[in-house]
Amino acid sequence: MQGGDILSFINVRDKVVQIKIVYYGPGRCGKTTNLEYINRTYKKQIVSEMVSLKTHGDRTLFFDFLPFDMGKIKGYDIKIQLYTVPGQVKYNATRKLVLRGVDGIVFVADAMEKQREKNIYSLNQLHENLQSYNESIFKIPLVMQYNKIDLKEHGIPILPISVLQKDLNSRLKVPFFEASAITGYNVAATLKKIIFSSVISIQKKLL
Amino acid sequence: MNYGIVSQDQLEKIEAILEEKLVKLGVDCVIVIDMAGNTITARGKGISKYDVYSFAALAAGNFATVDAMAKIIGEQEFSLLFHKGETSSIHFSKINDELLLISLFGRDISLGFLRLNVVEAIDQIRALWA
Ligand SMILES: Nc1nc2c(ncn2[C@@H]2O[C@H](COP(=O)(O)OP(=O)(O)OP(=O)(O)O)[C@@H](O)[C@H]2O)c(=O)[nH]1
Ligand SMILES: [Mg+2]
């Protein structure tokens, strides 16, 4: 069976849908920080501890995992499984493994000017990695997050949104958010958007 | 086979097989997961003790890692995946390209005996999609 046919797991008897959402992006762009913020802010909806497989220097080695309870939609209990990939260039083999069976992706771009090329490289590689599962970056639910915009106030050069949009979203044309994972700005908005898109896409596949 | 949706009927049959072949044998817990890390079902008295969702995510990652290592050295797959602990052990077995069966069991069950029952359970589960 090819990846393109994979649906999130739906248990019809117990009325449970598990949806896998992956935060993807270059090294140090703030994927883990997104999950940490969600973990702190939505304690009530989180059934268990966040799992982080990381190096001593706090870089993601394999993935972070955070299960998140959405409550019910049309009688179905929606269980969101949030993952991050390791962003460092050398970890592409493990990045690919984490993408298996993904239902929705948040692409976290680092808005710092000096990270411009790295964002583009990472997005291109996401495209290739999805192809290896017969998935298409143009079809899968996807949301762009332009992270670290708080750095602007500290005088650190930040890419204008127009440039980020042109570099990363001119063909994809997916929803996008400016964000600051460290302060939490638009972290929830990003999450809600990707959950919404993923649920819609799964409903379409089911009908 | 469209494993993405398991019908009520299939799920109940899978659970009956797991109860008959593994829970009765005395395994602490048996979990069926998919390669994306989703939990299909979990049976046995251990399931209330453990965080099954995190366990499934880690188990899928562990299996995928070992599988990728096998490919690098030119092996199709490593057929036996087994982690032995002081009081509990974990046994992994592939049901098909999308599903894994994981058994957690204590010292009172021998690996050989467990493997026999796992093989039988998997044959029966595969037959559900045949
Ligand atoms: N100023 C600022 N710093 C941030 C923001 N988000 C993340 N950081 C910092 O950036 C560094 C890397 O963040 P992580 O969340 O670990 O990055 P990651 O994408 O998980 O990195 P990898 O695991 O290596 O792929 C940390 O020091 C964070 O505190 C943000 O919105 N603003
Ligand atoms: Mg990380």
Side-chain angles (χ1 to χ4, degrees):
Chain A
M1 181 164 132
Q2 294 300 314
D5 303 325
I6 292 178
L7 291 169
S8 60
F9 176 71
I10 297 162
N11 178 329
V12 179
R13 183 194 58 191
D14 303 334
K15 293 202 168 273
V16 177
V17 183
Q18 293 171 61
I19 298 177
K20 179 171 183 173
I21 291 174
V22 175
Y23 282 69
Y24 195 102
R28 295 202 149 274
C29 67
K31 302 174 291 292
T32 298
T33 308
N34 264 274
L35 261 61
E36 284 170 344
Y37 180 83
I38 295 163
N39 190 31
R40 278 200 308 276
T41 313
Y42 296 95
K43 266 276 161 253
K44 259 192 278 170
Q45 278 151 282
I46 291 162
V47 279
S48 57
E49 299 276 302
M50 178 164 159
V51 174
S52 290
L53 303 179
K54 60 188 177 190
T55 66
H56 290 302
D58 262 357
R59 306 296 302 269
T60 302
L61 181 61
F62 197 165
F63 57 73
D64 302 295
F65 171 74
L66 183 64
F68 183 88
D69 253 328
M70 260 296 286
K72 284 194 172 20
I73 297 180
K74 294 193 176 166
Y76 275 82
D77 219 343
I78 310 288
K79 292 198 183 298
I80 308 289
Q81 327 263 35
L82 302 177
Y83 286 79
T84 70
V85 298
Q88 292 181 79
V89 173
K90 62 184 170 198
Y91 293 144
N92 196 46
T94 42
R95 257 196 299 285
K96 247 189 199 163
L97 296 179
V98 177
L99 282 176
R100 180 156 189 177
V102 62
D103 295 298
I105 296 170
V106 174
F107 185 84
V108 182
D110 193 323
M112 281 195 288
E113 219 171 80
K114 61 170 190 192
Q115 298 300 91
R116 187 171 176 188
E117 291 305 319
K118 292 205 177 104
N119 292 328
I120 297 170
Y121 177 83
S122 174
L123 187 67
N124 284 333
Q125 199 173 52
L126 171 61
H127 175 53
E128 285 165 18
N129 287 343
L130 287 171
Q131 276 179 334
S132 74
Y133 289 116
N134 272 355
E135 281 282 0
S136 161
I137 198 170
F138 294 100
K139 288 189 187 140
I140 197 150
L142 177 68
V143 169
M144 286 282 167
Q145 184 187 74
Y146 304 136
N147 190 35
K148 303 195 184 176
I149 58 144
D150 58 286
L151 289 175
K152 199 159 36 182
E153 284 160 28
H154 298 90
I156 293 166
I158 290 293
L159 294 162
I161 295 304
S162 58
V163 171
L164 286 160
Q165 278 286 88
K166 184 172 155 288
D167 281 355
L168 307 170
N169 205 10
S170 58
R171 287 177 63 207
L172 292 167
K173 297 191 171 57
V174 296
F176 65 95
F177 294 92
E178 292 185 320
S180 166
I182 212 146
T183 67
Y185 173 62
N186 272 345
V187 168
T190 309
L191 177 64
K192 278 179 194 151
K193 191 76 192 174
I194 191 60
I195 290 175
F196 183 75
S197 307
S198 306
V199 168
I200 297 280
S201 151
I202 287 163
Q203 276 177 344
K204 272 192 201 143
K205 282 192 210 168
L206 281 179
L207 298 174
Chain B
M1 158 184 152
N2 183 356
Y3 94 93
I5 307 175
V6 176
S7 72
Q8 174 154 352
D9 184 48
Q10 280 168 328
L11 193 61
E12 270 158 20
K13 283 181 177 144
I14 292 173
E15 287 171 350
I17 294 165
L18 298 179
E19 287 283 348
E20 181 60 33
K21 290 288 167 201
L22 293 160
V23 176
K24 264 195 193 166
L25 183 72
V27 300
D28 204 17
C29 171
V30 51
I31 309 173
V32 175
I33 66 168
D34 69 14
M35 299 295 182
N38 297 310
T39 309
I40 310 309
T41 184
R43 310 301 288 175
K45 56 187 184 320
I47 58 176
S48 51
K49 272 195 303 201
Y50 308 125
D51 177 353
V52 172
Y53 282 97
S54 298
F55 189 90
L58 291 168
N62 180 75
F63 188 86
T65 312
V66 175
D67 205 47
M69 290 194 299
K71 300 268 152 52
I72 287 175
I73 62 165
E75 282 294 326
Q76 262 307 312
E77 63 187 25
F78 297 120
S79 52
L80 177 65
L81 267 178
F82 175 52
H83 302 299
K84 187 166 166 40
E86 192 63 35
T87 49
S88 313
S89 300
I90 307 175
H91 179 271
F92 289 74
S93 215
K94 203 166 156 176
I95 297 173
N96 55 37
D97 282 347
E98 293 303 332
L99 299 176
L100 279 180
L101 188 146
I102 301 157
S103 312
L104 277 85
F105 60 102
R107 297 165 61 153
D108 45 328
I109 301 173
S110 80
L111 177 61
F113 207 40
L114 178 92
R115 285 179 72 184
L116 277 178
N117 283 43
V118 165
V119 167
E120 284 175 18
I122 285 179
D123 281 345
Q124 292 182 11
I125 293 172
R126 281 186 187 145
L128 296 178
W129 274 285

